[in-house]
Amino acid sequence: MPRVKTRDGTYKHEPHPLNQFDESLLVGIGKRIVHRKAVGMADLAGDDFANIFAEAIGGMSFRKPVGVADVAWNGCCWSIKTVSNQHPHRFMVGAGGGKRRRILRLISGRNSPVYSAGIDNPFADLQATGNAVLAIYNERIEKARRDHDDVRLLVFVRNMATQEFTIFERPIHPFVLNDYTWTTNDKGNFEAHCAGEHAFTWQPHGSQFTILESVPDSATRFKIRNRVSMLEMQHVLRLTRIRPEWIEVIDED
């Protein structure tokens, strides 16, 4: 395992260098996807993939995120995001201004400035509301950083039907509030821009916070070549060695 220097000057291992997924890790992830498809799981939610990734690296998956941390391993932690896309290897989204970039919309929690910052009218001061939204997310980042020396975002883009996948990761750092300018769009949602790029969306109704994440050229693409068939029920039952006496009828008094 590679070693990384932590903030206190000591060294800890990392499961892999940042955004470098070797073949053994991809095989470990792929095997677990095959297993889940074989037992009838047609798709993967975020918690499902968090469990897969944790199993593949020998880490721990949290039932409830600790700050932004969904998975942890020996001083490293990950915020896991998974996105369904029809073309995981080549999707493109227009970014305006004649430019095109590959972007994903990552739902990243519910940030309520009304609850957390006592803002009664979010529309009274758009910048103050937007800053409060980011401050809430930054506090989640800091909570993860208090317990982990290496905090990463891991994004998994999937098409379970074609069995094509893209995976990438980047470090997570708190956002600098003054870097972003907040406005509202035609739907009444808040949008943050930085250097002309749309960075975040926040919905006042429901408080959903979304990060627009660019897909790097260094993202890793892979696929499962063989079609995965669902196992027949009788075959699975034989493997469990089920006996009729396993089924107990409870008589109510």
Side-chain angles (χ1 to χ4, degrees):
M1 294 289 183
R3 296 200 312 163
V4 291
K5 190 174 183 180
T6 63
R7 290 192 298 271
D8 61 4
T10 62
Y11 285 86
K12 288 189 177 182
H13 290 287
E14 60 179 3
H16 55 270
L18 183 69
N19 203 35
Q20 297 181 33
F21 305 93
D22 61 26
E23 183 176 351
S24 63
L25 176 55
L26 297 178
V27 169
I29 291 171
K31 284 181 177 180
R32 288 165 172 83
I33 294 173
V34 169
H35 164 248
R36 283 156 174 80
K37 290 196 72 173
V39 296
M41 185 179 290
D43 201 4
L44 296 175
D47 289 345
D48 299 324
F49 184 73
N51 290 334
I52 285 174
F53 181 70
E55 292 169 7
I57 64 171
M60 175 185 297
S61 179
F62 303 119
R63 293 184 178 181
K64 183 178 180 181
V66 180
V68 296
D70 297 301
V71 171
W73 182 92
N74 194 29
C76 301
C77 74
W78 291 261
S79 174
I80 304 291
K81 301 297 177 186
T82 180
V83 180
S84 177
N85 189 280
Q86 189 174 359
H87 303 291
H89 292 173
R90 56 183 176 86
F91 56 90
M92 299 290 289
V93 178
K99 297 186 296 182
R100 293 177 69 83
R101 59 181 178 136
R102 293 170 294 184
I103 59 173
L104 300 169
R105 291 172 173 82
L106 307 180
I107 297 174
S108 302
R110 298 191 181 277
N111 300 357
S112 174
V114 175
Y115 172 80
S116 297
I119 295 177
D120 296 327
N121 181 3
F123 294 92
D125 187 333
L126 301 184
Q127 195 65 36
T129 298
N131 286 348
V133 168
L134 289 186
I136 295 167
Y137 190 73
N138 281 350
E139 178 54 33
R140 295 191 184 122
I141 294 173
E142 291 297 341
K143 185 174 183 179
R145 283 159 61 98
R146 286 194 288 270
D147 297 325
H148 304 90
D149 296 298
D150 188 354
V151 182
R152 303 180 182 185
L153 169 71
L154 185 144
V155 180
F156 184 71
V157 191
R158 70 194 191 281
N159 184 330
M160 293 291 282
T162 63
Q163 301 179 162
E164 296 176 314
F165 312 98
T166 289
I167 188 170
F168 64 93
E169 64 180 0
R170 65 162 172 80
I172 294 179
H173 302 293
F175 296 113
V176 179
L177 305 189
N178 292 336
D179 286 351
Y180 302 94
T181 301
W182 289 85
T183 59
T184 55
N185 60 23
D186 294 339
K187 296 181 180 179
N189 296 327
F190 285 52
E191 293 185 351
H193 289 78
C194 177
E197 298 284 2
H198 185 186
F200 313 114
T201 298
W202 179 72
Q203 299 176 2
H205 303 290
S207 300
Q208 181 174 286
F209 177 60
T210 302
I211 297 174
L212 277 72
E213 186 72 25
S214 294
V215 181
D217 292 336
S218 57
T220 298
R221 295 161 176 81
F222 68 102
K223 67 181 297 183
I224 298 171
R225 292 191 301 176
N226 289 33
R227 304 307 303 170
V228 180
S229 300
M230 189 170 68
L231 295 174
E232 296 180 358
M233 184 183 73
Q234 290 303 323
H235 177 64
V236 175
L237 293 178
R238 283 196 298 271
L239 291 176
T240 66
R241 300 179 181 179
I242 189 172
R243 304 288 298 172
E245 53 267 28
W246 287 19
I247 313 304
E248 180 182 3
V249 178
I250 307 299
D251 293 325
E252 295 185 3
D253 295 332

